[in-house]
Amino acid sequence: MSKIIAVSNQKGGVGKTTTTINLAASLAMADQRVLVVDMDPQGNLTSGLGQKSGAEHTVYEALLGDEDLPVLQTAVDKLHLVPAGRHLAAAEVELVSIEERERRLARLLEAVRQRYDFILIDTPPSLGLLTLNALVAADTVLIPLHCEYFALEGLADLMATLSRIRNGLNPALDVEGVVLTMFGDRTNLGAQVAREIREFFESKVYDTVIPRNVRLAEAPSHGLPVLLYDPRSRGAEAYVALAHELLTRNGAAPRRTAAAKA
Ligand code: ADP
Ligand code: MG
């Protein structure tokens, strides 16, 4: 089994990058072979995994040129990274004139796909060509929703984009799941928004909820997934639980517990 999952929501600050890093690390600690791809010009996934921006070989050169995807090892054994660099913002414009511009990433991932159990793609907070490339390459979309603040606002745009892509470029595109992030259980608003989201997406919403946890916000400045930065934090436990739930829903039992490894 090999699955490509785009982590997407056109709103910024909802936990896309945090989820990509920590879900991917948790899957890798559960003995899955995992690749993460940074498609956001901000490069937060790249820096959050300890890579300096300014690398010569990034996803940009592969998207625009003839190069293969550059794949880097991270601090987690089975977790590899395709980094972004500062040029990636230009790709949004430069891709426009390129043949099969929406399928560039899909083509590049075909070459590496069989080496991985999961490929997670982090996307920018927009529905431009970089996000489109991710959604065309993906089997499914994982949607992080921030529970406390107008979570459902703008979702109509994302759902419309998904159905447009299903009607054309990627008919098999499915929703992998919806994950509630930055949940603060002391506020009624969070609980109320969570209920609304569950009504809207029903069983697509994971039982696992990611709490607001400062360790999750601190870990990227150390260039580490939270599982290496503070494995006993609530944030780490939540992403391990999310990984196990995702594996179970995909009919794959975790091969080894993250706790045993960490
Ligand atoms: P996006 O990629 O959707 O823009 P991020 O993952 O970068 O969102 O998260 C936005 C900010 O919130 C970042 O500073 C991140 O460290 C922080 N953050 C994300 N998830 C949590 C969480 N569960 N608890 C605390 N801070 C979080
Ligand atoms: Mg991000």
Side-chain angles (χ1 to χ4, degrees):
M1 184 190 70
S2 156
K3 199 166 202 187
I4 302 179
I5 302 173
V7 180
S8 197
N9 181 332
Q10 82 276 22
K11 287 179 76 129
V14 297
K16 287 184 291 296
T17 302
T18 304
T19 296
T20 307
I21 291 177
N22 293 300
L23 174 60
S26 301
L27 287 168
M29 297 277 220
D31 209 27
Q32 305 293 312
R33 298 164 303 165
V34 186
L35 177 69
V36 286
V37 181
D38 195 352
M39 285 291 274
D40 185 348
Q42 289 180 45
N44 294 339
L45 178 78
T46 302
S47 60
L49 284 170
Q51 297 295 327
K52 305 225 165 31
S53 62
E56 265 174 51
H57 300 285
T58 69
V59 72
Y60 170 84
E61 284 76 20
L63 284 170
L64 274 301
D66 296 325
E67 291 182 26
D68 292 338
L69 281 175
V71 174
L72 306 176
Q73 177 65 50
T74 71
V76 179
D77 260 0
K78 298 208 163 183
L79 179 58
H80 295 168
L81 163 72
V82 176
R86 58 201 156 84
H87 303 304
L88 189 56
E92 200 76 75
V93 175
E94 292 169 5
L95 276 169
V96 170
S97 56
I98 282 189
E99 207 181 315
E100 296 233 273
R101 59 192 177 202
E102 308 94 345
R103 289 194 199 279
R104 299 292 298 176
L105 183 62
R107 295 260 181 278
L108 290 162
L109 287 178
E110 266 166 31
V112 299
R113 174 168 199 158
Q114 74 285 357
R115 284 183 236 154
Y116 297 97
D117 298 303
F118 289 96
I119 299 176
L120 270 57
I121 310 169
D122 190 21
T123 63
S126 68
L127 295 172
L129 266 176
L130 290 169
T131 296
L132 194 57
N133 262 271
L135 293 174
V136 170
D139 299 307
T140 60
V141 195
L142 179 66
I143 307 170
L145 287 183
H146 178 183
C147 305
E148 291 188 342
Y149 186 67
F150 301 122
L152 292 167
E153 183 191 88
L155 265 183
D157 291 344
L158 180 61
M159 300 319 279
T161 301
L162 295 184
S163 71
R164 190 159 50 83
I165 291 170
R166 268 190 216 111
N167 287 329
L169 294 163
N170 187 2
L173 184 65
D174 200 357
V175 174
E176 180 70 33
V178 174
V179 56
L180 305 179
T181 64
M182 290 181 255
F183 189 80
D185 42 13
R186 268 170 291 184
T187 69
N188 288 328
L189 180 60
Q192 185 190 320
V193 172
R195 257 197 312 278
E196 280 174 30
I197 292 167
R198 287 187 194 280
E199 272 165 33
F200 186 80
F201 285 103
E202 300 178 334
S203 64
K204 285 290 184 189
V205 184
Y206 293 105
D207 297 330
T208 307
V209 170
I210 309 301
R212 182 171 284 288
N213 177 246
V214 68
R215 300 310 224 183
L216 287 169
E218 291 168 357
S221 62
H222 299 266
L224 292 173
V226 73
L227 259 178
L228 294 185
Y229 176 64
D230 186 354
R232 294 185 203 289
S233 62
R234 288 179 69 211
E237 284 172 3
Y239 276 107
V240 168
L242 181 65
H244 287 195
E245 190 177 351
L246 186 143
L247 286 172
T248 305
R249 286 181 179 221
N250 278 281
R255 285 177 205 147
R256 184 171 67 209
T257 68
K261 185 83 196 302

